[in-house]
Amino acid sequence: MPLSSQQTNVSHEEDVLSLVIQKANECFDKADAFFGNKFKRSTCNLKQRGRAAGTAHLQKNELRFNHFMYHQNPVEFLDTVVPHEVAHIIVFQIYGNTVKPHGKEWKAVMLKVYGISPSRTHSFEVPPQKQSYEYHCACQKHQFTKQRHTRAQRGVEYICKGCRSTLQFVSKNK
């Protein structure tokens, strides 16, 4: 049953969390019916930050959702992000760690159980970075978060997906 825009036009965090939990439970119920199984329900929270709309913490059986992104389009968020993350939990409960996160099993759950075209990415705006660090490669500039910059300074090497050269620190922004 789709949620109406009035039901999703809420601002209080506990009300948002209730809607997310309700949608997650609907997704689990659909998977139960499809597979003839009773999947273990995940805990849900609104602790996700940064660029991800949601994450599934498989071993903890926990779903984290991004409150900032929910408010951009609550209906789209509930209809796409929540099933996306629940599908990860379902696949993990069936196959364990033996399959790729967005592999054929996850895609099948998205299509066959939820009737949603599987997509790895979202179209929500991401919150502005508090601090960013500029890096460059042979072909372009890259913006790093403080966490990624710290890792790079400790010796983690990042490589551009385009030109395959190592990213070099240029300057701190803001």
Side-chain angles (χ1 to χ4, degrees):
M1 173 174 77
L3 296 168
S4 70
S5 59
Q6 184 178 15
Q7 285 177 294
T8 58
N9 189 19
V10 294
S11 60
H12 293 91
E13 194 164 323
E14 60 272 6
D15 294 334
V16 171
L17 184 57
S18 291
L19 289 172
V20 168
I21 291 169
Q22 177 186 341
K23 183 64 177 187
N25 284 329
E26 289 173 15
C27 292
F28 277 110
D29 291 344
K30 280 185 178 181
D32 288 347
F34 183 87
F35 289 103
N37 191 9
K38 182 73 173 164
F39 292 99
K40 185 176 180 205
R41 289 349 190 213
S42 300
T43 60
C44 297
N45 63 55
L46 300 172
K47 294 179 180 177
Q48 183 64 49
R49 300 289 181 256
R51 304 178 69 83
T55 54
H57 294 265
L58 305 174
Q59 285 79 11
K60 293 180 182 179
N61 198 31
E62 175 185 47
L63 298 170
R64 294 182 188 173
F65 296 99
N66 192 314
H67 196 262
F68 176 85
M69 291 181 191
Y70 167 88
H71 283 290
Q72 292 174 38
N73 188 335
V75 173
E76 181 184 348
F77 191 93
L78 291 171
D79 288 347
T80 61
V81 176
V82 176
H84 175 119
E85 300 308 333
V86 172
H88 285 300
I89 296 290
I90 297 300
V91 169
F92 178 74
Q93 288 186 22
I94 295 171
Y95 299 101
N97 282 328
T98 62
V99 297
K100 293 180 180 178
H102 294 104
K104 64 183 179 183
E105 299 83 1
W106 175 83
K107 289 176 183 173
V109 170
M110 290 295 288
L111 271 173
K112 294 178 181 178
V113 178
Y114 303 128
I116 299 170
S117 179
S119 176
R120 294 181 58 188
T121 59
H122 62 77
S123 58
F124 300 103
E125 289 185 29
V126 298
Q129 290 182 357
K130 293 180 179 117
Q131 292 180 332
S132 67
Y133 299 82
E134 188 174 305
Y135 281 69
H136 71 86
C137 63
C139 70
Q140 64 181 322
K141 292 179 183 177
H142 301 265
Q143 296 298 316
F144 276 24
T145 62
K146 181 176 171 80
Q147 183 178 27
R148 189 174 233 205
H149 170 71
T150 300
R151 287 182 185 145
Q153 295 303 298
R154 290 181 180 157
V156 174
E157 185 176 74
Y158 291 95
I159 298 172
C160 176
K161 289 181 180 178
C163 68
R164 309 294 298 159
S165 66
T166 303
L167 302 183
Q168 301 294 324
F169 176 64
V170 176
S171 65
K172 178 179 176 179
N173 302 324
K174 287 188 182 177

